[in-house]
Amino acid sequence: MHPTLSGDLADFDAILDRAREMAGTYLHELPQRPAAANLPVGLSLRTSLPARGLGAHAALQRFEQDWLPLMSGSPGPRYFGFVVGGATPAALAADWLVSSYDQNAQRNGDTGAAAIEAQAVDLLRQLLHWPQHWTGLCVTGATMANYVGMALARQWYGKQHGRDVAVDGVWGLPPMTVFAGASHSSTSKALSMAGIGHGQLHALPLLPGREALDVAALERALVAHGGAPCTVVASAGTVNTVDFDDLAAIAALKARHPFWLHVDAAFGGIAAASDKYRGLLEGIEVADSVTVDAHKWLNVPYDCALTYTAHLPLQLEVFQNRSAYLPAPLAVEDNYLHLAPENSRRFRALPLWMTLLAYGREGHAELVERNCASAQRLGELLGGDPLFRLVAPVRLNVVCFTLANGDAAGLQRLHKALHEDGTAYLSPSTLDGRPMLRAALCNWRTTDADVEQTYAALKRLATAG
Ligand SMILES: *Cc1c(COP(=O)(O)O)cnc(C)c1O
């Protein structure tokens, strides 16, 4: 064994202790750390490969010195950019173990990792009150889950034309129309990846002043489509204003029109953990495929999302890995490599399993309700201040606002000033073509005190600018 490796083998415990210490320090300091990193200009993207190797201690030290200051505070309580969750203690501890155990969760056989994934998929189904007959599995993110959904839609569409797309490809089939309202950009990407083409995505009108699909417009579009099979992608939680398409009304259209219904519930789906918000997802049980992220509002570390479907046989057709040395598929948990885009698979279900068991129904309902209440509080503070103006009602856990004077350059300066100040991080976006800032609350550590501190910083910086 190379001396650097054998040295580290002898020193394994001390190396892990050092990593544990670095993690502990970071996690304790998180509320005081800048919410986002500011990268220096001219940051070198090259470093030379050592011949002998530094050994783990020195490599850790190099990271700590050069790179730790550039780590974002994104798992902390005042990172409100995009839709970013943190990591609960149980999920984080499990994630450490995932790397230690380093299981390949592709199938049952020599490990129970795949069976735990089946339990995790079921635990989440229980939390969200989703149907028993859905099967699911973990993928890296909602983009991949949307990709799986589109690949299944494509397979179903082929069948409607008497074709097995998994065998023959899409060649010669008429293009599949995909109707949606305010779909996430990853749907478009998924359509490109799946060979359907994002040019087939038809954005339909939204309800006035909303990001929710106008279902009457969908019905007219389906009628005009003349009974030909197609796909509908519904949103259960839009990233800007957390609006929900009327899933029950869309689902009802399935009785009269042949379409595959995919629901992107990347973070909005988690709202169903609370009885207060469960109604927003009514009708989802009729979906053919569903996307939900674990690394957002569930506060499981990156990366983890789930794809659910009511059409297991189609999934097997699309993703079956045909090989002489792999046994034929049996039960679902023996099948992950025949059902997922990946063959080798990280044991990413363990943090999900651990956090669901650790915090249960009540813990998750409390997290959702607390984040929504804090978003309401931030909305009240900003809405009640003549400096700011809300550009949408606070529907759930996201606050969208702008400067009351409509100064777009001033808003950009405010975003930059807050980033540099580090009290909180918000991401810029646009609504109806107009610039705004949005604060998305998804972190298990966020309280009202954090949004009050954020509001105070915004006021201070907006006044100074
Ligand atoms: C975040 C998000 C996605 C993409 O999710 P990733 O996990 O980043 O791949 C898709 N849809 C919606 C609604 C989202 O919020």
Side-chain angles (χ1 to χ4, degrees):
M1 193 184 287
H2 186 275
T4 320
L5 276 174
S6 61
D8 275 4
L9 179 58
D11 220 14
F12 218 151
D13 279 346
I15 292 162
L16 293 182
D17 286 346
R18 181 79 192 98
R20 148 86 184 77
E21 204 176 278
M22 284 167 68
T25 306
Y26 172 82
L27 292 169
H28 282 297
E29 290 176 351
L30 207 39
Q32 284 77 46
R33 279 179 70 94
N38 284 284
L39 296 198
V41 276
L43 180 68
S44 174
L45 301 180
R46 274 213 97 209
T47 189
S48 52
L49 180 69
R52 190 182 158 87
L54 309 176
H57 274 298
L60 280 167
Q61 197 178 350
R62 165 90 77 91
F63 170 81
E64 188 173 34
Q65 196 178 311
D66 296 353
W67 292 95
L68 183 56
L70 301 185
M71 291 298 106
S72 160
S74 54
R78 287 185 309 282
Y79 186 98
F80 301 133
F82 311 99
V83 184
V84 171
T88 63
L92 176 60
D95 202 62
W96 284 358
L97 295 176
V98 168
S99 295
S100 310
Y101 300 149
D102 199 21
Q103 304 290 291
N104 186 351
Q106 58 170 223
R107 55 179 299 276
N108 267 340
D110 59 6
T111 170
I116 288 190
E117 180 160 340
Q119 282 199 359
V121 163
D122 181 52
L123 284 169
L124 185 61
R125 204 164 40 195
Q126 291 178 48
L127 178 72
L128 305 179
H129 305 272
W130 285 353
Q132 271 297 321
H133 69 273
W134 286 1
T135 56
L137 55 85
C138 294
V139 288
T140 50
T143 303
M144 276 312 277
N146 283 338
Y147 165 74
V148 171
M150 291 307 95
L152 298 185
R154 184 189 63 192
Q155 186 69 3
W156 169 84
Y157 181 77
K159 290 283 164 80
Q160 306 311 300
H161 292 85
R163 288 274 295 277
D164 186 342
V165 171
V167 177
D168 298 321
V170 296
W171 323 115
L173 277 176
M176 178 175 79
T177 299
V178 180
F179 294 115
S183 62
H184 188 265
S185 53
S186 61
T187 293
S188 168
K189 179 171 171 170
L191 290 170
S192 305
M193 292 198 293
I196 296 165
H198 65 75
Q200 307 307 331
L201 183 61
H202 291 255
L204 293 170
L206 307 176
L207 294 173
R210 298 270 307 270
E211 284 189 303
L213 173 66
D214 178 348
V215 180
L218 172 62
E219 184 158 23
R220 285 194 297 276
L222 289 169
V223 170
H225 203 56
C230 59
T231 287
V232 174
V233 175
S235 294
T238 57
V239 280
N240 268 344
T241 67
V242 205
D243 214 337
F244 286 70
D245 290 346
D246 184 341
L247 301 178
I250 295 171
L253 294 175
K254 264 176 149 284
R256 297 192 296 283
H257 304 278
F259 61 88
W260 180 276
L261 177 57
H262 175 76
V263 179
D264 182 351
F267 73 100
I270 304 304
S274 155
D275 288 341
K276 219 170 141 181
Y277 301 112
R278 220 172 109 189
L280 291 168
L281 289 124
E282 214 178 290
I284 199 171
E285 56 283 353
V286 182
D288 297 293
S289 54
V290 170
T291 288
V292 63
D293 254 324
H295 58 214
K296 289 178 178 170
W297 219 355
L298 264 182
N299 283 261
V300 165
Y302 291 106
D303 45 22
C304 185
L306 293 98
T307 164
Y308 285 94
T309 184
H311 302 273
L312 187 65
L314 288 182
Q315 193 164 358
L316 192 56
E317 286 173 14
V318 176
F319 294 104
Q320 184 164 358
N321 192 82
R322 288 170 183 80
S323 147
Y325 68 90
L326 291 167
L330 299 163
V332 173
E333 63 275 16
D334 289 316
N335 262 309
Y336 289 129
L337 93 154
H338 297 297
L339 292 170
E342 306 87 357
N343 272 11
S344 294
R345 300 172 72 244
R346 180 173 170 82
F347 187 16
R348 60 172 56 80
L350 187 62
L352 175 65
W353 182 90
M354 199 79 79
T355 208
L356 287 168
L357 285 182
Y359 310 112
R361 241 183 230 301
E362 289 175 15
H364 289 91
E366 191 274 340
L367 165 60
V368 164
E369 288 167 17
R370 171 159 44 88
N371 281 167
C372 291
S374 296
Q376 280 297 334
R377 175 84 187 121
L378 182 60
E380 280 161 22
L381 290 168
L382 291 167
D385 188 318
L387 272 178
F388 304 103
R389 186 168 56 81
L390 295 183
V391 296
V394 180
R395 291 205 171 81
L396 224 56
N397 60 332
V398 176
V399 184
C400 299
F401 67 98
T402 186
L403 287 172
N405 63 13
D407 177 5
L411 190 70
Q412 214 171 10
R413 280 198 304 276
L414 176 60
H415 175 257
K416 191 163 175 284
L418 184 67
H419 185 164
E420 284 165 5
D421 173 79
T423 304
Y425 184 79
L426 274 56
S427 45
S429 185
T430 58
L431 194 62
D432 300 326
R434 279 189 289 272
M436 59 140 177
L437 291 181
R438 50 185 286 290
L441 279 66
C442 306
N443 192 286
W444 68 282
R445 290 172 75 161
T446 303
T447 65
D448 277 359
D450 293 300
V451 301
E452 280 154 17
Q453 206 178 327
T454 301
Y455 163 70
L458 282 167
K459 192 172 172 64
R460 170 169 51 83
L461 297 165
T463 312

